[in-house]
Amino acid sequence: MGIDAVLSKELRALQEELAVSHQERSVRSEGRAPATDAEVNRDRRPDEGAEEHHLVGELRDLANVITEFVEEAEQNVSEHPTASVVGALVVGILIGRLLGRR
């Protein structure tokens, strides 16, 4: 459950960054003061709303996939703790050897 809250918070932060970025692009291209939300929505091309809606949908899908992956990993680790620790140890040793060859 804690993972969902973290992912939701991260998703909101990404959406806010996207809105700020869009607003900054408008300001730079027009050379005027930052627009209000109403002005941004009024000045948009019709397909911009669809693009942003699609992007938000893609981010939501990504968050769902990540959440499912983390839940499955947690379940697998709790069902097989010894195998998980041994596997993590082996992966750590392999990464250490690969990085040590530089």
Side-chain angles (χ1 to χ4, degrees):
M1 287 291 189
I3 300 295
D4 289 339
V6 171
L7 288 175
S8 296
K9 183 178 177 182
E10 189 66 30
L11 203 66
R12 277 194 296 275
L14 287 171
Q15 288 172 339
E16 290 172 7
E17 286 179 29
L18 180 64
V20 168
S21 174
H22 177 72
Q23 197 172 28
E24 287 175 353
R25 274 188 298 156
S26 321
V27 169
R28 274 187 255 135
S29 67
E30 296 175 9
R32 61 180 177 88
T36 64
D37 287 341
E39 289 174 334
V40 168
N41 289 333
R42 185 192 69 219
D43 293 339
R44 281 188 182 160
R45 296 184 318 254
D47 62 336
E48 281 184 8
E51 290 174 6
E52 285 184 17
H53 182 69
H54 178 69
L55 181 60
V56 169
E58 291 290 324
L59 289 173
R60 190 171 294 123
D61 291 343
L62 176 63
N64 290 337
V65 168
I66 291 171
T67 302
E68 289 175 15
F69 176 77
V70 170
E71 288 173 355
E72 287 177 17
E74 287 176 352
Q75 183 180 3
N76 192 25
V77 168
S78 65
E79 289 175 358
H80 310 286
T82 306
S84 300
V85 170
V86 170
L89 180 65
V90 169
V91 169
I93 290 170
L94 289 174
I95 291 173
R97 295 253 176 157
L98 290 172
L99 292 176
R101 291 185 181 180
R102 284 186 177 193

